[in-house]
Each structure stands twice: as structure tokens, then as C-alpha cells.
Amino acid sequence: MEIELAKSYGFCFGVKRAIKIAEEHPGASTLGPLIHNNMEIARLKKDFNVSLANSLEEVKEGQATVIRTHGIPKNDLKKLKEKGGEVIDATCPFVTKPQQIVEEMSEEGYDIVIFGDVNHPEIKGVMSYATGPVHAVLSVEELSRLHLRERVAVVAQTTRKIEEYNKIVNYLVPRHKEVRVFNTICNATFENQDAARELARRADVMVVIGGKQSSNTKQLYTICKQYCPDTYHIESKEELEPAWFAGKKLCGITAGASTPEWIIEEIIGKIREFKV
Amino acid sequence: MEIELAKSYGFCFGVKRAIKIAEEHPGASTLGPLIHNNMEIARLKKDFNVSLANSLEEVKEGQATVIRTHGIPKNDLKKLKEKGGEVIDATCPFVTKPQQIVEEMSEEGYDIVIFGDVNHPEIKGVMSYATGPVHAVLSVEELSRLHLRERVAVVAQTTRKIEEYNKIVNYLVPRHKEVRVFNTICNATFENQDAARELARRADVMVVIGGKQSSNTKQLYTICKQYCPDTYHIESKEELEPAWFAGKKLCGITAGASTPEWIIEEIIGKIREFKV
């Protein structure tokens, strides 16, 4: 049986970068979990002594602290710096960008609309850079309740769909003199999905690796299952069953955005041992 | 029989303003016809000695010249000034605006996309203000053939439909880092159409006044005819027939964008004379 990895899978660029930054700062702590994967957090603790501070209050005076990919609100950054320890910024560059845009556009007098979830850490951070009116909305319906001035600048949460973003833009264009649209969407999630779909079309068995609670892994599973009925969602090699692979020709592998490479490698190794 | 004028009809703001400007400059000539209505052009000549120059070449040295609502290309303006006569700018402010936007955005390094007809005088004028790359397109298909850089600024011909404009925007947003959308559409045409529709729904006879070749008048006729089968398209009072109004209760009146008020008044006067 042949084993093939999806063209795009697992960690996105920003998460890979953040983990590398954490590894380069042994003894530091991260402000919030760096990734939604407890095994990876345990590995960083064990191999690099990188610990976890769940909130600003938990950060000790003088403690070196890594800011995770989502970024943090401007005011939290100030407080963090006041703790006196080194601040190591692993904010994803795709998140730093909307932060900068919001700050600049705000200063230039634009009303800011963010297409994203006001409760998501990324959006809390991005919003905090506004110096004037700023609103986060998830639908045209929410948007229609706002009172915006003539000039509006718009950014999107990195994980939003472009089609949905266009709906927000389409609502604004007829109603405002100027709508300045910044495409801040990151395609990483969609690239994993597209690659999973392409592979599932050809494979006769698919293994999707990632947390059982991880929403992006579940989405990958749903996509693969559509094209390849023998699709299995697992978190670790212990769940693998040899019977899944009996008589199969091509085993496709993909993994959710929080699944580290070493877990994927372990699973591939175990499948090879089945010698089907 | 009651006679009711549509809430919005005839000349738009820009044309009214241009005619007023022409009347304030007796002896001037206009560069191109001020309006697509020969009776009105004849009136301006007779009452205000405002003549017509069909091209720059026809403008005599030292001749005071009125620029019509569409505006003219930057270079033509220069040549016109070199003729030494007074230049009277009756460019519609809704057209001056996209000219200024294109100039500014071009200087700020944006690629310019104009949603409009490259052969229309308004668009020729607007385009001429670009100091960098500029393209006029009428469809997503034309747009897809362009090679644009990361930052794009978009303006629309004043008479375009907003839904069509949004299609252009929707194509650009996913493909560019920043799309700066200026809503330069003027609602005058659509206001006349909406008002005609509303009136035709209630009227049992409709008179649509305007040139037989005028495309916006023909559109008004089509809209009215849909709601009021007894709709008539006429250019002047001579065409009216008393039989149209026999037994009718409400006569609705509307007029195309090039129809002067005095023609409308003549026609209403004539209908009243029928005493139905």
C-alpha cells in the first residue's frame, strides 16, 4: 500500500514560526497556549522548559514571555512590558498586518469594520489598535445596525472565508463614499482543505490526524469522508487498526492545523509496520 | 382627470446647473452639446446667444467656452486654455470627484480601475487624470485580462448600477492586498426610474416625455408600460391625442434626463386643455 501526505496539512506558517521562536527561548513562558495541542505543549515544557502562563496575572515579574500567533491587545502588551521580562513576539505576521492597518486607518479618520468574532483573541488584539470608532461584526445583519461615517476601512479575521467577506464589502460600497478593503484573510486553512479534498478523491483509505475537539480537523474529516468513505479521524497512533488498510492501494494522510509533525510521523511509521 | 408629475423626473442636478451656468455666460460656446436635446440647444442660442463648438478645433481664439457636465480630458483642458478665452467649467461635481480621486490615487501609487465605458466622454476625462496605470472595464471578464499590482483603487462611471460595480469589487478583493473602493455612482437616473415606477403603478394613463432616441427615456417608457398599459412616449405637445385621456382618472407624467422643464410644462398645459 502506498502512503501519501496531502500537499498541504497540519501547522500553518505562523504556528511553525511561533514554535520555532519558543524553542529558541528556553525558560520562557507563553501567554496562553501556543497551540491547541496538549502533547505539543508538554513537549515544549519537557525539551525546552517553555511553560504556560494562562493570563497576564500569572506572568511573574521579570519572566521572559512569548506572545502567541493571535497577538494580544495593545494595553496587555504595555502591562506585559511593565513586568520587566523580555517580551518575545511570535504574533503571526498575518495578524500583525491587520493590527497595523487598523491603527493607521483609525489615525487617518476612517471608521473601522472588522469582519470577525469579537470574542476571538486575534480580533481582541486587532481591535485594540484602533484610536477611533471600531466594530467587529460577523454578518451583514450586525453591520446594518451600525452607524458608520462616510469613509470606512475594512479588515477580516485571518480565518474568514473570502465569499463572506465580499458580502460585508457589498453591503458597505453602496452606502459609503469610500470603502477601503484590506484582504487580510490567510489561505492556510483553505489550502489544507483543498489538498485534503484532492487526495481523498484518489485515496481508498484516508487518515485524518488531529484533536477530537478541533473544529478544523473535524472539517477536514467531513471533506475527506465525502470523497473517500473509508476515512478515519484519530488523535494518536494507538487508535490505528490494521483492518482499515487491508486490501487498500492508496492511504491518504492529512492533519489539522494544531497537529505537530512528530505525531504525524509516528502515525505514518505505525501504518508502515502493518505491512499491507 | 388629475395630472401628477413623478417625484423625480427630467434633468439631473448636474445638467440643471450646467444650463444655469451657460445662461449666465451669454455669447459663450459650449464644447460639445450641453444636453442631448436640440430644442434646448436652440433655446440657449436664441435667448442667450450660447453657441455650439463640436470640437476643440472649432473653438475660436479668445472664445469663452463652457465645459459640459461630462468634463474633458486634462490635455484638452490645457489646449482650451491656450486658446486664450475664458474657460467656464460646468463639469458635474459628481464627475469632478472621480477625476480628483484618480489623480490622487495614481500619485499614491495605486493601479486605477474605472468601471465604465472607455469611449464615453466622462470616462475619457476621468482616465486622463491618472499619472500611472489606469484601465477602464465594463465586465469582470475584461478585468480578468488585466495585470494589476497589489494595491488597486476603483471608481465607477456615474451612471453605472451599484450591483454591477460590486461584481467588479468582488473580483478584486480576493486578488489584491488592498482595494480602495470609491462610490462615485450618481443615483439621479435610478431616482427617475423609481419615481416613474411608483407613479405608473397608480396612474391609468402615463405620458413619458423625451427624445425618441434617448436611451434613458426609452427605459422610462419600458418601466411605465409594465405597470400602466396606456403609456405613451412623446417628444412634443403636437403628438398628444385627446382620446388617450378619455375616461381616465389619473394621468402620470415623467420625463427623460434631457427633457427641459419648459417642454414638460407645455405638454401639461395642452393635456389640461383637453378638459377630460
Side-chain angles (χ1 to χ4, degrees):
Chain A
M1 184 183 68
E2 204 186 324
I3 297 175
E4 185 176 330
L5 263 162
K7 293 259 178 311
S8 172
Y9 65 91
F11 287 177
C12 64
F13 158 78
V15 168
K16 276 184 199 154
R17 179 176 166 274
I19 285 170
K20 192 160 171 285
I21 289 172
E23 289 176 352
E24 286 164 2
H25 292 85
S29 67
T30 68
L31 183 52
L34 205 58
I35 172 174
H36 295 131
N37 185 299
N38 293 329
M39 289 186 278
E40 180 66 2
I41 288 169
R43 186 189 69 88
L44 286 171
K45 176 70 187 160
K46 183 169 160 283
D47 295 356
F48 298 91
N49 192 29
V50 170
S51 55
L52 171 62
N54 280 301
S55 65
L56 260 180
E57 291 67 40
E58 281 186 24
V59 175
K60 294 185 195 80
E61 298 287 322
Q63 169 67 50
T65 305
V66 178
I67 297 172
R68 60 184 175 168
T69 55
H70 297 322
I72 55 173
K74 212 174 169 179
N75 205 34
D76 286 3
L77 179 61
K78 194 170 155 266
K79 285 184 197 158
L80 187 60
K81 283 179 178 166
E82 285 165 5
K83 299 259 184 179
E86 188 188 357
V87 173
I88 304 136
D89 191 1
T91 305
C92 174
F94 293 128
V95 176
T96 310
K97 193 75 202 167
Q99 289 176 349
Q100 289 167 345
I101 291 169
V102 164
E103 187 162 36
E104 279 175 39
M105 291 303 103
S106 225
E107 274 162 18
E108 287 188 29
Y110 290 84
D111 276 9
I112 311 289
V113 170
I114 303 170
F115 176 44
D117 180 355
V118 71
N119 296 312
H120 192 284
E122 176 188 322
I123 298 309
K124 283 183 187 167
V126 170
M127 274 186 102
S128 73
Y129 281 81
T131 53
V134 61
H135 313 269
V137 299
L138 278 173
S139 67
V140 166
E141 206 268 315
E142 279 179 65
L143 185 59
S144 69
R145 279 189 252 122
L146 303 179
H147 295 280
L148 301 167
R149 290 173 299 169
E150 281 191 338
R151 296 160 76 226
V152 179
V154 211
V155 298
Q157 191 170 355
T158 51
T159 48
R160 293 287 147 191
K161 282 189 185 153
I162 192 78
E163 296 80 13
E164 300 298 313
Y165 193 33
N166 263 341
K167 285 184 196 165
I168 298 292
V169 173
N170 287 352
Y171 182 85
L172 292 170
V173 168
R175 291 168 177 83
H176 297 276
K177 289 248 190 267
E178 182 187 348
V179 183
R180 208 162 162 175
V181 188
F182 295 88
N183 183 356
T184 51
I185 291 173
C186 167
N187 290 319
T189 314
F190 311 115
E191 278 164 13
N192 282 3
Q193 290 177 2
D194 291 345
R197 189 179 294 111
E198 190 278 322
L199 182 53
R201 279 200 175 107
R202 296 182 288 114
D204 47 7
V205 57
M206 281 291 299
V207 176
V208 180
I209 310 165
K212 290 282 161 69
Q213 305 304 322
S214 152
S215 74
N216 83 81
T217 311
K218 284 191 274 184
Q219 228 173 331
L220 284 178
Y221 172 78
T222 308
I223 289 169
C224 292
K225 185 88 182 164
Q226 226 179 309
Y227 297 94
C228 175
D230 289 338
T231 294
Y232 303 95
H233 176 183
I234 62 171
E235 268 187 62
S236 65
K237 59 176 194 246
E238 284 69 33
E239 293 167 73
L240 289 168
E241 289 179 26
W244 297 348
F245 308 97
K248 301 296 187 187
K249 289 200 176 77
L250 176 61
C251 169
I253 308 269
T254 186
S258 307
T259 309
E261 196 63 32
W262 60 269
I263 292 183
I264 301 165
E265 279 167 17
E266 270 188 6
I267 286 171
I268 294 177
K270 180 82 179 280
I271 296 175
R272 283 201 209 286
E273 283 173 20
F274 294 149
K275 292 194 201 307
V276 285
Chain B
M1 183 183 69
E2 206 187 323
I3 298 176
E4 185 175 329
L5 264 162
K7 293 256 180 309
S8 173
Y9 64 92
F11 288 175
C12 65
F13 158 78
V15 167
K16 276 183 199 156
R17 178 175 167 274
I19 286 171
K20 193 160 171 286
I21 289 172
E23 290 175 350
E24 287 164 1
H25 293 86
S29 67
T30 67
L31 183 52
L34 205 58
I35 173 174
H36 295 131
N37 186 298
N38 293 329
M39 289 187 278
E40 180 67 1
I41 289 169
R43 186 190 68 90
L44 287 170
K45 177 70 187 160
K46 182 168 160 283
D47 295 354
F48 298 92
N49 191 28
V50 170
S51 55
L52 170 62
N54 280 302
S55 66
L56 261 179
E57 291 66 41
E58 281 186 24
V59 176
K60 296 186 194 77
E61 298 288 322
Q63 167 68 50
T65 305
V66 177
I67 297 173
R68 61 184 175 167
T69 55
H70 297 322
I72 55 173
K74 213 173 168 178
N75 205 33
D76 286 4
L77 180 61
K78 194 170 154 266
K79 285 184 196 158
L80 188 59
K81 282 179 178 166
E82 285 165 5
K83 300 258 183 177
E86 188 188 358
V87 173
I88 305 135
D89 192 0
T91 306
C92 175
F94 293 129
V95 175
T96 311
K97 194 74 202 168
Q99 289 176 348
Q100 289 167 344
I101 291 168
V102 164
E103 185 163 37
E104 278 175 39
M105 291 302 105
S106 224
E107 272 162 20
E108 287 187 30
Y110 291 84
D111 276 10
I112 311 289
V113 170
I114 302 170
F115 176 44
D117 180 356
V118 71
N119 296 313
H120 192 283
E122 176 188 322
I123 299 309
K124 284 183 186 168
V126 171
M127 275 186 101
S128 74
Y129 282 81
T131 53
V134 60
H135 313 268
V137 298
L138 278 173
S139 67
V140 166
E141 206 270 315
E142 280 180 66
L143 185 60
S144 69
R145 280 187 249 125
L146 303 180
H147 294 279
L148 300 167
R149 291 173 299 169
E150 282 191 336
R151 295 161 76 226
V152 179
V154 211
V155 298
Q157 191 169 354
T158 51
T159 48
R160 293 286 147 190
K161 282 189 185 154
I162 192 78
E163 295 80 13
E164 300 298 314
Y165 192 34
N166 263 338
K167 286 184 195 165
I168 298 292
V169 173
N170 286 352
Y171 182 85
L172 291 171
V173 168
R175 292 167 174 82
H176 297 275
K177 289 246 188 270
E178 181 186 348
V179 183
R180 207 160 164 177
V181 188
F182 296 87
N183 183 356
T184 52
I185 291 173
C186 166
N187 290 319
T189 315
F190 312 114
E191 278 166 12
N192 282 4
Q193 290 177 1
D194 290 346
R197 189 179 293 111
E198 189 277 323
L199 181 53
R201 278 200 176 108
R202 297 182 288 114
D204 46 9
V205 57
M206 280 290 299
V207 176
V208 180
I209 310 165
K212 289 282 160 69
Q213 305 303 323
S214 152
S215 73
N216 83 80
T217 310
K218 284 191 274 183
Q219 231 174 328
L220 284 178
Y221 172 79
T222 308
I223 290 169
C224 292
K225 185 89 182 165
Q226 226 180 308
Y227 298 94
C228 175
D230 289 337
T231 293
Y232 304 94
H233 176 182
I234 61 171
E235 268 187 62
S236 65
K237 60 176 194 244
E238 285 69 31
E239 293 167 72
L240 288 168
E241 290 180 25
W244 297 348
F245 308 98
K248 301 295 188 189
K249 288 201 177 76
L250 177 61
C251 169
I253 308 271
T254 185
S258 308
T259 309
E261 195 63 32
W262 61 269
I263 293 183
I264 301 165
E265 279 167 18
E266 269 188 6
I267 286 170
I268 293 177
K270 179 84 178 277
I271 296 173
R272 282 200 209 284
E273 284 172 20
F274 293 148
K275 292 194 201 307
V276 286

